[in-house]
Amino acid sequence: MINKSEKKKFNFKKLITATNILMILLVIFYLLDCYLPLPKGYTGYTHWNSENPSAVNYIFGSCGGLLSNYMALGATGRTEVYRHFTMTFLHGGVLHLIANLVGLYFIGNYTEKRFGWWLTYILFFAIAFIESFITDPLFAAIAPGKAEEIKGNISLGCSGGVFGLIGVSLAALFFDIKSFKKIGLPTIIASAIYGVLTTYVVNLGWTTLCHNIAMVLGLAFGTATVLPFYLLKKKKSVPEIKPEGEAAETEESDNEKN
């Protein structure tokens, strides 16, 4: 018989990662944007959909929009530079939020283990910031018939940043193909599903207001960012990581030796 004391205890410290903390922040920002009461006499942007009954708007959080008014791009009519950064923390619906949370959990945590949390999120926010300046003009050029519709909608979400991390990881694999074996199967599956769902299925087509352009730009910028480092230093620029699930076992064996 195995005593309960002999069973491996779950290490909750593994859950404290920059990626998981960011995910919690994204949920908090989403809820605040949906349900934060609007000030008396407020005349700014709101998510209210006049085509739906009032009860539906309140249930699904379409009664809010205060954060979008001050932090998002697009229909708010404001173009301050800081919005290109703050828009990353907001999402335009629960499906949008869930898709990015799933992608961020697997892709962000993998990239964080490989490159470190600080470099991962410098790249994440830098790529998201840069592509936000290009997305709308490029989108309008590809789909000129939707140019006016683009101006009438807000731009928000962290898809560009997530795809930036995918680009960084893919570029790393190009110069260190053996490291592909160290990526857990759940991460590979989730990345594939995230890529397919967010670029086509969820958006119901290529030229949609979900801005697939942001995702493609994120992927391109992520790859372009990391490739020069590999061209100069190749494997030396990327620390080696252990396969998922082996880190904890290695730590335990080291403790036993000590």
Side-chain angles (χ1 to χ4, degrees), residues 79-223:
T79 59
E80 295 89 345
V81 173
Y82 77 84
R83 292 175 181 270
H84 292 269
F85 173 78
T86 55
M87 62 172 285
T88 306
F89 293 92
L90 303 177
H91 288 82
V94 67
L95 187 60
H96 187 198
L97 175 68
I98 291 174
N100 280 339
L101 288 179
V102 172
L104 188 60
Y105 176 77
F106 288 98
I107 300 160
N109 275 305
Y110 167 75
T111 312
E112 185 176 342
K113 284 191 292 183
R114 177 148 198 177
F115 295 95
W117 70 268
W118 63 272
L119 180 57
T120 294
Y121 284 98
I122 286 177
L123 292 172
F124 176 87
F125 286 110
I127 293 169
F129 182 78
I130 293 171
E131 62 83 14
S132 68
F133 284 93
I134 305 172
T135 296
D136 281 354
L138 185 57
F139 191 92
I142 293 175
K146 293 189 176 183
E148 291 301 319
E149 191 177 1
I150 292 170
K151 293 180 181 178
N153 285 269
I154 57 174
S155 296
L156 35 70
C158 66
S159 302
V162 176
F163 269 80
L165 296 185
I166 293 177
V168 168
S169 299
L170 287 176
L173 287 174
F174 181 77
F175 283 96
D176 186 16
I177 195 64
K178 293 181 180 179
S179 64
F180 182 80
K181 297 179 181 179
K182 300 172 185 176
I183 305 176
L185 185 60
T187 300
I188 296 174
I189 295 174
S191 299
I193 293 175
Y194 175 79
V196 172
L197 288 181
T198 54
T199 55
Y200 194 86
V201 178
V202 172
N203 296 337
L204 302 178
W206 176 252
T207 52
T208 67
L209 292 175
C210 288
H211 285 7
N212 289 320
I213 298 299
M215 302 169 189
V216 175
L217 286 175
L219 184 62
F221 280 128
T223 304

Side-chain angles (χ1 to χ4, degrees), residues 9-18 20-21 112 251:
K9 293 182 179 179
F10 182 77
N11 187 2
F12 286 97
K13 290 183 179 180
K14 292 192 298 183
L15 297 177
I16 305 176
T17 66
N20 293 345
I21 292 173
E112 185 176 342
E251 291 176 3

